[in-house]
Amino acid sequence: VDKERKWERVVFHADMDSFFASVEVATRPELRGKPVIVGGRPDGRSVVSSPSYEARKFGVHSAMPTAEAKRLCPHGIFLPVDGKKYGDYSKRIHQLLIEFTPEVEPFSIDEAFLELPFSWRQREEIRQAGESIRGTIRKRFNLAATIGAGPNKMIAKLASKAGKPDGFKIIPPEKVDEFLLYLPVGKLWGVGERTRASLHRLGLYQVSDIRRLPMERLNRLFGSWGQSLYNMAWGIDDSPLHPWYEDHDAKSVGHEETFGKDISDPERILAHLMELSERVAMRLRRKNYQAGLITVKRKLPSMKLQTRAQMLAWPTQLEKDIFDAAKKALCKFPKPYQAIRLLGVSAGKIVTEENDREPLLMQPLLEGEQELTKTMDRMRAKYGKEIIHRARSRLTDPEK
DNA sequence: TCTGGGGTCCTAGGACCC
DNA sequence: TCTGGGGTCCTAGGACCC
């Protein structure tokens, strides 16, 4: 029989199972078997980041408001998000994957793609490689990972989703069609709620329905997205692996904060703006990035999101410059100091080299800020991040 | 006391230039 | 003597992902 659609590439997608919750269980064994819910406070304006599988049984899922999770699972163990801890685990897990093959693309805090050497194409080699990776992750970190294997990244990612939890699913080239045809369109990469709804309106519910449409029709309906839909429906994905050693720079760096209660006092809004500017600036300096554009985001009590941007005279990594630009951007909003539930500051147009810092607008560079910032950074390195702040940022909370 | 925080990419409309 | 056209950049908003 002709099963000769051969493996041309072997791609793995490794995806940690309820990563944040599992890390908490791994560091606190008494939590094992309990409904752990990592996210914001259950009494605050927040959502679930990562529920353990025990919590999922109650209907809790990520992105659900924590207040709702509390109703569904009143005895759940609610833990705050410990980003640093998960980041450390993530780095060590990515390191471990690199021990298997250098062709690793860290894709998110809890996911990575791997491309196996071309010679490893036998069914048994693929199976052993996957089980070996899963076993090592379990042994070294006491964490469960699911691996999906396929002839390209898209199929590997769909396979890991289908294999969850704690599984290993291989979709060989000759099984791709069988796997894709009855897949609901909403499972495809990049098809969220809105796109799924428009696909449904067109009578397209499963991948096989998309296949019935010619590429031109999809292009007309969805623009450049149509091409991706067409390719995904037919299992086509030529996107290469972007290995870790070709590390790429971020395009933007931002922070945002949702307040426990809406705020409208101008002094407090500016204080939060300064605090967010400080945090953005510190991260820029740690990576030695310079930003040329500052964007301020706010969310009104109605949940409406708005953004305003301000170009900088020169790319900068100084909080004074970032705050000044953020304040200018803020003042572009209608009623800049009306009540808001969220405020965010983001730095974009990032450059990395000193010699890219050509003037963007005509404006004098502030003397003294460089020296002041260096001194503040030295103090923070010696005594900790909280040792010194801009006075303005201390007014965020009347208590402070 | 429903609806986070960190990102990326795409698009439509307007400004601006030649 | 009604109001070109093409290209590019910027802005704001929105969809999506984990």
Side-chain angles (χ1 to χ4, degrees), chain A residues 97-116:
Chain A
L97 296 176
I98 292 164
E99 290 173 24
F100 282 88
T101 168
E103 301 306 303
V104 173
E105 175 181 341
F107 192 67
S108 77
I109 193 158
D110 73 332
E111 290 170 84
F113 288 101
L114 289 80
E115 183 141 10
L116 264 57

Side-chain angles (χ1 to χ4, degrees), chain A residues 108-389:
Chain A
S108 77
I109 193 158
D110 73 332
E111 290 170 84
F113 288 101
L114 289 80
E115 183 141 10
L116 264 57
F118 184 64
S119 56
W120 293 13
R121 283 173 302 157
Q122 298 301 317
R123 203 182 165 70
E124 207 35 47
E125 290 167 332
I126 293 169
R127 181 150 295 285
Q128 276 178 20
E131 286 305 351
S132 167
I133 293 170
R134 277 166 33 76
T136 314
I137 292 176
R138 173 168 296 286
K139 202 160 68 190
R140 215 178 279 182
F141 302 108
N142 211 0
L143 292 174
T146 296
I147 293 181
N152 58 50
K153 287 166 85 172
M154 176 195 61
I155 298 295
K157 188 142 171 40
L158 293 176
S160 71
K161 187 144 280 177
K164 273 186 170 297
D166 200 7
F168 179 29
K169 186 168 177 61
I170 305 176
I171 302 178
E174 70 271 14
K175 295 270 181 68
V176 166
D177 281 342
E178 186 187 314
F179 176 81
L180 279 179
L181 283 176
Y182 301 103
L183 197 72
V185 293
K187 302 249 181 186
L188 291 173
W189 170 257
V191 177
E193 209 180 309
R194 308 302 290 263
T195 311
R196 190 186 61 211
S198 20
L199 288 169
H200 283 186
R201 273 196 300 275
L202 292 162
L204 311 174
Y205 296 93
Q206 352 177 291
V207 170
S208 58
D209 299 328
I210 299 179
R211 284 200 184 186
R212 277 195 272 279
L213 299 188
M215 195 199 292
E216 300 74 46
R217 180 91 199 283
L218 286 168
N219 282 327
R220 237 178 306 125
L221 289 167
F222 292 98
S224 71
W225 234 96
Q227 187 65 49
S228 318
L229 271 176
Y230 179 90
N231 287 341
M232 284 195 290
W234 289 91
I236 300 164
D237 175 22
D238 299 325
S239 60
L241 193 98
H242 301 291
W244 60 277
Y245 48 83
E246 291 169 10
D247 77 324
H248 61 291
D249 293 311
K251 300 211 163 72
S252 67
V253 169
H255 284 290
E256 63 186 60
E257 184 183 3
T258 295
F259 309 114
K261 285 178 70 176
D262 299 345
I263 60 169
S264 55
D265 172 21
E267 276 310 317
R268 290 192 61 201
I269 289 176
L270 290 173
H272 282 288
L273 202 67
M274 176 57 94
E275 192 175 26
L276 292 163
S277 301
E278 280 186 321
R279 288 164 64 191
V280 167
M282 275 192 275
R283 275 180 60 208
L284 290 174
R285 293 200 292 274
R286 194 167 316 147
K287 295 261 191 176
N288 203 21
Y289 290 158
Q290 310 266 355
L293 181 75
I294 300 302
T295 304
V296 170
K297 170 161 82 171
R298 72 175 183 183
K299 198 190 275 179
L300 305 180
S302 64
M303 295 295 285
K304 185 185 166 65
L305 268 174
Q306 297 177 315
T307 60
R308 291 296 183 272
Q310 174 63 46
M311 288 276 278
L312 284 153
W314 281 272
T316 186
Q317 50 180 203
L318 302 178
E319 52 229 22
K320 161 87 170 139
D321 296 343
I322 292 171
F323 173 77
D324 288 347
K327 189 175 171 191
K328 274 190 198 164
L330 180 75
C331 289
K332 294 178 185 173
F333 283 124
K335 299 197 205 150
Y337 300 109
Q338 72 174 278
I340 50 175
R341 63 175 283 146
L342 168 146
L343 190 64
V345 173
S346 174
K349 289 207 185 303
I350 286 176
V351 294
T352 50
E353 300 300 325
E354 189 69 19
N355 55 17
D356 286 343
R357 292 193 66 221
E358 287 162 23
L360 297 169
L361 298 170
M362 295 317 289
Q363 214 179 75
L365 187 64
L366 287 146
E367 294 278 333
E369 277 297 325
Q370 291 271 8
E371 276 310 309
L372 175 59
T373 304
K374 275 184 197 160
T375 306
M376 286 171 69
D377 276 352
R378 276 200 298 273
M379 291 178 66
R380 284 167 176 148
K382 199 162 170 189
Y383 302 108
K385 250 193 266 183
E386 296 304 318
I387 195 69
I388 186 162
H389 285 279

